[in-house]
Amino acid sequence: MKRIPEPEELMDEADQALAYAQADFSASNELFIQLFEQLYAGEFTGLALDLGCGPADIPVRFAWRYPQASIDALDGAQAMLDLARQAIENNGLEQRISLHCQYLPAPRLEKKYDALLSNSLLHHLNDPQDLWQTIRNSAKPDATVLVMDLLRPESPQAVDALIAEYAGDAPEVLRRDFEASLYAAYTLDEIRGQLAVASLQGLTVSQISDRHLAVQGRLV
Ligand SMILES: C[S@@+](CC[C@H](N)C(=O)[O-])C[C@H]1O[C@@H](n2cnc3c(N)ncnc32)[C@H](O)[C@@H]1O
């Protein structure tokens, strides 16, 4: 099935950001943390960067799971960052999670990171190199990379089946977001091609659920 890009890359409408922040993504966000645990043996104590952090549910979960970690969380949408700030304050994590309003492609970021994280950003990007080059340029040697996203289904019927299964009762705005995201998602082969262009072939790309994929590994 042909890819249809998202109508807008950023989620900068207050209503859309709020509907997204109020939706229950706990299962997939917890899966993200479990994948990181499998990838990074031991206690992570370094500096992580979360790209396209949205309302910061993943940085908050990561901070609770790894109490010695610090996280820089970046998003281009101020509406999302306003919600992220609330979540961080509600969890008392202001000292460990810092927010950055930054649209990708970014000029080179100042810091280098021990872990590069991203969930559900890739399918928003019309130029996926905006993500992969940021990861390559911002990683310390031996950094851990975990990128999770939706996988584009093979047919419109498969899209409809996923919407019925996972968003049947969701508000209309979220059902439309989910549908647009599934059409905009990349395939495993497309991502392998993107990684080759970015010289990130060391990362592995795999399907991890009926609708998710992960790109993961350590950089050499
Ligand atoms: C689907 S949300 C995912 C949010 C979060 N990672 C999560 O898992 O809940 C995608 C986020 O990426 C942000 N985004 C999209 N394109 C971007 C870009 N070019 N630069 C920075 N952020 C972007 C959007 O504003 C939105 O907050």
Side-chain angles (χ1 to χ4, degrees), residues 32-199:
F32 188 95
I33 301 296
Q34 286 167 10
L35 287 173
F36 190 88
E37 286 174 338
Q38 289 161 18
L39 186 60
Y40 191 93
E43 194 58 23
F44 181 85
T45 58
L47 179 61
L49 174 64
D50 183 21
L51 293 156
C53 65
D57 190 61
I58 285 184
V60 165
R61 285 172 193 271
F62 193 86
W64 281 119
R65 169 60 188 83
Y66 296 107
Q68 295 179 67
S70 303
I71 303 128
D72 283 352
L74 174 159
D75 202 287
Q78 190 57 51
M80 279 293 191
L81 292 175
D82 292 344
L83 296 165
R85 185 164 311 287
Q86 279 173 25
I88 291 164
E89 285 174 7
N90 291 345
N91 282 272
L93 290 167
E94 300 94 319
Q95 303 304 316
R96 295 180 46 220
I97 304 177
S98 35
L99 294 173
H100 303 269
C101 190
Q102 176 73 63
Y103 181 78
L104 298 179
R108 276 179 190 256
L109 302 178
E110 279 170 21
K111 295 185 217 162
K112 301 280 183 198
Y113 294 88
D114 303 289
L116 291 302
L117 313 175
S118 183
N119 183 51
S120 239
L121 167 66
L122 180 62
H123 72 268
H124 282 263
L125 302 175
N126 287 323
D127 184 353
Q129 293 304 324
D130 293 346
L131 174 62
W132 302 123
Q133 299 294 341
T134 303
I135 287 178
R136 168 149 289 300
N137 293 337
S138 312
K140 286 186 190 168
D142 202 32
T144 302
V145 176
L146 176 59
V147 173
M148 194 169 113
D149 211 303
L150 293 168
L151 174 66
R152 190 163 80 247
E154 291 192 347
S155 65
Q157 292 75 15
V159 170
D160 291 345
L162 288 172
I163 293 169
E165 182 157 1
Y166 294 106
D169 298 332
E172 176 62 15
V173 61
L174 285 180
R175 273 211 307 280
R176 270 191 279 111
D177 267 1
F178 188 38
E179 181 179 38
S181 299
L182 288 167
Y183 277 100
Y186 291 100
T187 64
L188 300 181
D189 280 345
E190 286 168 348
I191 293 174
R192 289 190 186 105
Q194 296 163 14
L195 295 177
V197 170
S199 301

